[in-house]
Amino acid sequence: MSDCLFCKIVSGKIPSSKVYEDEDILAFNDINPARPVHVLVIPKKHITSLATATAEDTLVLGKILAKANEIAVAQGSPDGFRVIINTGRVGQQEVPHLHAHIVGGPDPVGPMLKRI
Ligand code: 5GP
Ligand code: ZN
């Protein structure tokens, strides 16, 4: 996906502040952090969202979650964190390359959702 922002981050065409990388996933700091720790974890392979992921993506999706605690602790959230995966229009996903937000820091991140 040559015109995808996060694919360009994977290929290095757009710089990022990387915090973890292996053959399948990349983690980097969010450019506009909402909490002291705000890392995005993405599959290196382009997957648009959880709405388009398939059974073939099971391993990489598991890896994103399995690495979350290690990444959170290393970045300064040793006592828990929150994972958010915004999906599609209703989830208000802005970047159409699947990503998990890992948010945390020294203090609790706040209520899960505001009631509407
Ligand atoms: P979404 O709303 O799609 O779940 O979240 C997209 C996230 O990507 C936002 O938190 C936004 O700050 C972040 N973001 C957008 N563009 C860039 C970028 O060029 N670099 C980095 N590191 N983060 C970005
Ligand atoms: Zn992409």
Side-chain angles (χ1 to χ4, degrees):
M1 285 283 285
S2 54
D3 60 346
C4 168
L5 176 65
F6 286 176
C7 283
K8 285 181 184 164
I9 284 180
V10 170
S11 69
K13 279 183 198 144
I14 291 179
S16 68
S17 162
K18 288 181 194 175
V19 301
Y20 175 79
E21 179 172 20
D22 65 27
E23 65 275 24
D24 298 314
I25 66 174
L26 174 67
F28 53 96
N29 287 309
D30 195 291
I31 204 165
N32 186 22
R35 292 293 182 278
V37 173
H38 189 166
V39 174
L40 302 175
V41 192
I42 68 173
K44 286 189 168 178
K45 166 197 166 188
H46 182 87
I47 303 169
T48 301
S49 79
L50 280 184
T52 65
T54 70
E56 277 181 22
D57 304 319
T58 302
L59 208 65
V60 75
L61 292 175
K63 206 164 185 180
I64 287 169
L65 295 181
K67 278 285 170 191
N69 188 63
E70 181 185 316
I71 292 167
V73 170
Q75 295 309 308
S77 199
D79 198 23
F81 55 92
R82 184 171 293 163
V83 175
I84 301 165
I85 304 180
N86 295 323
T87 301
R89 179 182 66 85
V90 171
Q92 295 186 287
Q93 179 180 0
E94 286 171 9
V95 177
H97 180 128
L98 193 153
H99 51 283
H101 298 252
I102 297 178
V103 289
D107 303 316
V109 295
M112 191 168 75
L113 286 175
K114 283 187 183 157
R115 290 187 189 282
I116 52 173

